[in-house]
Amino acid sequence: NQKQTLANWTGEIKKGGPVYGAAFLAFLLGQPTATDDCTPTTEIAITFVDDNSGLTECDGIAGAIIRTWTAEDACGNVSTCTQTIRLIDNTAPEITCPADVDLDCTDSFEPSTTGMATATDDCNEVIVSHSDETSGDDCEMIITRTWTAEDACGNVSTCIQIIKLIDNTAPEITCPADVELNCTDNSEPSSAGMPTATDDCNGVTVSHSDEISGDDCSQMIIRTWTAEDACGNASSCEQIIRLIDNEAPVITCPEDMILECVDGFGPDV
């Protein structure tokens, strides 16, 4: 225990909990000793009174307590001394970030979706805030979210959460209907039809390739349509185009003729 004589004393302690009663502080910092010429030491009454008006810092949980000690002998003679006790908070809050997360490029990245940081402080309330720094591109955007916990005394701690917005979803493509054409018809997409394609994040490039089989009587074109977004995600569908020869030839006969019975009538006449 700390023993003090009747002289001014100044001490400092760190606040480690939300409530400090006078009895606790007296025990923690000790009591003064007093002597008297006539009254035995054991009969001197020692009391104290605290002035808490100096607790003006950090929302009233830090600052100075002025403790006035009084020693009174058996004859009512009184002496006093003061002790200054400072309560300080210089410990930052403890903060825990939400887990890193990967999201689709269309998902919300607000804290209500990606999680909130939690923070505690040994002395007072904590304000939690965040700031974002964005990097990357439309295919993989990286959000570096810095969470900050600050107590009423200005002590600050931070942690970092990484949020990735990734486009790994292929476009949606719908092929034109299969079609049968005459062998003389145009089989280009302007005649056989174009697909439709959409993507949830980026623009889409549509292309096609043809695989041809069959013969002049019935030709089949397997047209593979491909939709690719800016991130290289691709989807495809197939259209079947048949070129069929189902029309008879056009024939023109020679003119009718009148011949003598002795004449020949072969095609070469």
Side-chain angles (χ1 to χ4, degrees):
N1 291 335
Q2 187 177 18
K3 299 296 184 180
Q4 303 295 330
T5 59
L6 282 175
N8 288 345
W9 185 93
T10 299
E12 183 175 89
I13 65 170
K14 177 185 174 184
K15 187 174 184 301
V19 177
Y20 281 84
F24 172 76
L25 289 176
F27 171 79
L28 181 66
L29 297 176
Q31 297 188 26
T33 59
T35 60
D36 188 77
D37 291 341
C38 298
T39 303
T41 300
T42 56
E43 297 180 11
I44 298 175
I46 297 177
T47 59
F48 69 88
V49 175
D50 284 343
D51 177 4
N52 296 328
S53 62
L55 294 176
T56 59
E57 304 170 19
C58 307
D59 290 341
I61 60 90
I65 298 174
I66 305 300
R67 173 162 293 166
T68 300
W69 292 95
T70 300
E72 184 176 357
D73 65 16
C75 299
N77 300 306
V78 173
S79 294
T80 63
C81 67
T82 59
Q83 178 186 24
T84 300
I85 305 165
R86 285 197 56 82
L87 301 183
I88 63 173
D89 178 9
N90 56 14
T91 301
E94 293 186 0
I95 186 170
T96 302
C97 263
D100 297 342
V101 62
D102 290 349
L103 302 174
D104 186 76
C105 56
T106 59
D107 292 337
S108 169
F109 53 88
E110 291 301 311
S112 57
T113 300
T114 59
M116 293 283 295
T118 58
T120 58
D121 190 70
D122 60 357
C123 293
N124 47 53
E125 297 295 325
V126 181
I127 296 175
V128 176
S129 60
H130 74 275
S131 62
D132 291 345
E133 181 179 341
T134 302
S135 61
D137 53 31
D138 290 340
C139 296
E140 183 174 297
M141 181 179 294
I142 300 174
I143 299 172
T144 302
R145 176 162 293 166
T146 301
W147 288 97
T148 301
E150 182 174 0
D151 66 18
C153 298
N155 301 306
V156 172
S157 57
T158 62
C159 63
I160 291 178
Q161 177 190 21
I162 301 298
I163 302 167
K164 293 182 180 180
L165 301 180
I166 302 173
D167 181 5
N168 53 17
T169 302
E172 294 184 0
I173 186 171
T174 301
C175 265
D178 296 342
V179 62
E180 289 188 359
L181 303 174
N182 188 270
C183 59
T184 58
D185 291 338
N186 181 7
S187 62
E188 290 301 307
S190 57
S191 298
M194 290 284 296
T196 58
T198 58
D199 189 71
D200 59 358
C201 296
N202 297 287
V204 181
T205 300
V206 176
S207 61
H208 73 277
S209 61
D210 291 345
E211 181 181 339
I212 302 174
S213 61
D215 52 32
D216 291 341
C217 296
S218 177
Q219 188 175 82
M220 182 172 68
I221 301 172
I222 300 176
R223 178 161 291 163
T224 301
W225 289 98
T226 301
E228 183 174 357
D229 66 17
C231 301
N233 303 305
S235 57
S236 62
C237 62
E238 287 186 351
Q239 177 192 20
I240 304 299
I241 303 168
R242 296 181 186 275
L243 300 179
I244 301 173
D245 183 1
N246 54 13
E247 293 186 8
V250 176
I251 186 171
T252 302
C253 281
E255 295 180 357
D256 295 342
M257 300 180 67
I258 298 175
L259 302 174
E260 292 289 337
C261 61
V262 294
D263 293 334
F265 50 85
D268 55 341
V269 175

